[in-house]
Amino acid sequence: MNTPESREGNLIRYIVYAVGYLMAVGVVKLVINKTPPRLWDLVLFILIAAMVTLFYIYRFNREQRFFQRRYSLPWLGDLGFTIGITILVTALRILVMYFQSYNKISFYGFQASYIKHENVGMFWFLIIAEGIILPILQEFLATGFLFNYAFRRDSRLVAVSGILVSGIIFSILNFQLSFLLFVINVVFGAIFAWVYLYTQSIWMPMYLAVLNGLLMIVLM
């Protein structure tokens, strides 16, 4: 139960982590539903976001001691790859936004809410919450902890299965009712998972998830 080798322990841990994420999302929804954001709601968000993020970081770093990775690509260790994957994620997000502007694809819930009630304070809150905090938490859940607990065998089938499941979990964590947005999020989540397997580091998919989140807000 005390190591990531235990299936029952892994399930319990993952449920606990998911509850923490739901707490953070709940506070974000609370703030977004009030325009302009209220001070005490922002204070509550800061406390919950800090608590969950620090808990995730502590647990993930602790669990890494139980695994031996064949390698770990240093940050910016492959500059060409970093630039290429950055351009890919940026281009895909711009393409999605292009179709959204012509009503071919639905807007995300927080995008629709902001467009309806534009507010400077809300914009900066979305930058921090939807652009940075939630994408980081999503990558811990959809990529880091997931691959720690499952899909650890070294085979192509396991890797492909893990990438697909990671993409689906990433999409579920974004809570979008539109089927097309669900598929789009699966694609982005799968890209982030593939990058994780390629680099053997959580930092690169986190960077891409944050980039994706910030673009969703800046390009509104």
Side-chain angles (χ1 to χ4, degrees):
M1 289 286 289
N2 294 325
T3 75
E5 300 288 346
S6 167
R7 291 184 179 181
E8 292 180 359
N10 290 342
L11 178 60
I12 293 172
R13 277 186 283 270
Y14 202 82
I15 291 174
V16 171
Y17 302 152
V19 170
Y21 175 78
L22 291 176
M23 290 171 56
V25 169
V27 177
V28 171
K29 298 294 183 185
L30 176 67
V31 176
I32 290 177
N33 289 334
K34 305 290 176 58
T35 304
R38 298 188 303 185
L39 176 60
W40 290 112
D41 291 341
L42 293 175
V43 171
L44 180 61
F45 165 74
I46 292 172
L47 292 176
I48 296 295
M51 178 184 70
V52 176
T53 303
L54 291 175
F55 178 61
Y56 277 18
I57 293 172
Y58 166 75
R59 290 298 306 175
F60 185 79
N61 288 336
R62 183 178 185 277
E63 290 172 6
Q64 293 307 292
R65 297 181 303 172
F66 293 97
F67 307 108
Q68 297 211 350
R69 299 185 182 277
R70 290 170 301 173
Y71 67 93
S72 180
L73 190 66
W75 182 249
L76 298 181
D78 187 340
L79 187 58
F81 174 79
T82 302
I83 294 174
I85 199 67
T86 298
I87 292 174
L88 175 63
V89 170
T90 302
L92 288 175
R93 181 47 60 190
I94 290 174
L95 182 63
V96 171
M97 197 64 201
Y98 171 80
F99 285 112
Q100 284 180 320
S101 65
Y102 285 95
N103 296 319
K104 303 295 184 181
I105 299 177
S106 302
F107 283 97
Y108 289 83
F110 69 88
Q111 289 177 324
S113 178
Y114 176 76
I115 291 172
K116 187 176 181 180
H117 306 287
E118 288 192 30
N119 179 274
V120 174
M122 184 60 70
F123 174 82
W124 288 109
F125 173 77
L126 290 177
I127 286 288
I128 296 172
E130 296 281 356
I132 300 175
I133 300 298
L134 291 187
I136 289 175
L137 299 183
Q138 288 166 1
E139 281 310 297
F140 272 119
L141 279 176
T143 305
F145 291 126
L146 178 71
F147 281 95
N148 276 358
Y149 300 157
F151 308 107
R152 292 178 56 198
R153 286 190 299 164
D154 189 10
S155 75
R156 183 170 298 178
L157 178 60
V158 170
V160 172
S161 300
I163 289 171
L164 178 59
V165 172
S166 178
I168 292 172
I169 292 177
F170 177 80
S171 189
I172 291 173
L173 293 176
N174 278 279
F175 301 116
Q176 298 302 316
L177 297 178
S178 165
F179 177 74
L180 193 52
L181 284 180
F182 180 86
V183 173
I184 290 170
N185 285 332
V186 169
V187 172
F188 277 101
I191 291 173
F192 302 154
W194 173 75
V195 169
Y196 177 69
L197 292 181
Y198 177 79
T199 62
Q200 293 290 295
S201 170
I202 194 66
W203 303 115
M204 184 62 77
M206 276 188 182
Y207 153 70
L208 294 173
V210 169
L211 173 65
N212 177 61
L214 291 174
L215 288 174
M216 284 195 292
I217 299 163
V218 174
L219 297 177
M220 284 192 295

